[in-house]
Amino acid sequence: MWLPLVGMTALPHLGGLYGGYVTRKEVKTWYPTLQKPSWRPPNAAFPVVWTCLYTGMGYGSYLVWKELGGFKEEALVPLGLYGLQLALNWAWTPIFFGAHKLKLAFMEIVLLTGTVGATMWSWYPISRPAALLLAPYLAWLGLATSLCYCIWRDNPETKDE
């Protein structure tokens, strides 16, 4: 049973690797030109935090999958919500860093945050530890949503790009 454990824990990192590829150039060129709040975390924190969050959410999805006995009908909502939030998570970086769509990125991250909350809610009766593994992710998204809003608000010349 180690293959589902490793595969489901690693899955979120695929989007993280793509996001890192999209972000790599923009963090050195476009991102420094933006007005950002003084309280934003340093750039070096983001890959460390996302590595931990992706690992936790992936392992949590494995716990839910295992508890439900695999991909069965009762797994549709909890793992479907998980898949939706994962797709939204992976989409944010290309919207923000790739397309420079600050307003759209803000709207998308609000939707992502709500979807993570719904995922936690659906996981809690199945696996309390899995739901709690998403708590740091939800907290980080609170910070990231605030940061995204401030960047959109403080960079009016790029609002309608």
Side-chain angles (χ1 to χ4, degrees):
M1 279 300 262
W2 63 271
L3 191 58
L5 167 64
V6 172
M8 293 179 84
T9 302
L11 177 64
H13 293 278
L14 296 177
L17 291 171
Y18 176 70
Y21 174 77
V22 170
T23 305
R24 188 182 57 206
K25 183 185 110 195
E26 300 298 328
V27 140
K28 296 175 186 169
T29 57
W30 172 73
Y31 189 67
T33 69
L34 298 175
Q35 294 295 317
K36 295 172 281 303
S38 60
W39 48 264
R40 76 172 174 85
N43 290 347
F46 288 86
V48 174
V49 168
W50 279 112
T51 298
C52 295
L53 296 176
Y54 281 143
T55 302
M57 76 172 78
Y59 181 65
S61 74
Y62 167 75
L63 293 176
V64 169
W65 174 85
K66 181 179 160 200
E67 190 65 32
L68 293 174
F71 294 108
K72 296 182 177 177
E73 187 176 336
E74 50 275 355
L76 183 62
V77 171
L79 293 180
L81 283 168
Y82 172 72
L84 176 59
Q85 74 78 30
L86 195 57
L88 289 167
N89 179 297
W90 290 349
W92 186 86
T93 299
I95 294 168
F96 185 87
F97 283 101
H100 304 170
K101 301 286 187 187
L102 303 181
K103 181 179 180 181
L104 182 59
F106 172 65
M107 292 186 305
E108 200 271 1
I109 202 169
V110 168
L111 183 60
L112 167 60
T113 303
T115 306
V116 171
T119 303
M120 285 181 72
W121 178 81
S122 75
W123 284 11
Y124 193 81
I126 300 162
S127 171
R128 190 173 177 184
L132 294 175
L133 280 168
L134 294 182
Y137 178 30
L138 189 61
W140 181 261
L141 283 175
L143 175 79
T145 301
S146 300
L147 179 59
C148 188
Y149 171 75
C150 289
I151 291 173
W152 171 57
R153 180 196 66 198
D154 296 343
N155 293 276
E157 68 280 356
T158 60
K159 274 188 184 177
D160 296 321
E161 282 185 1

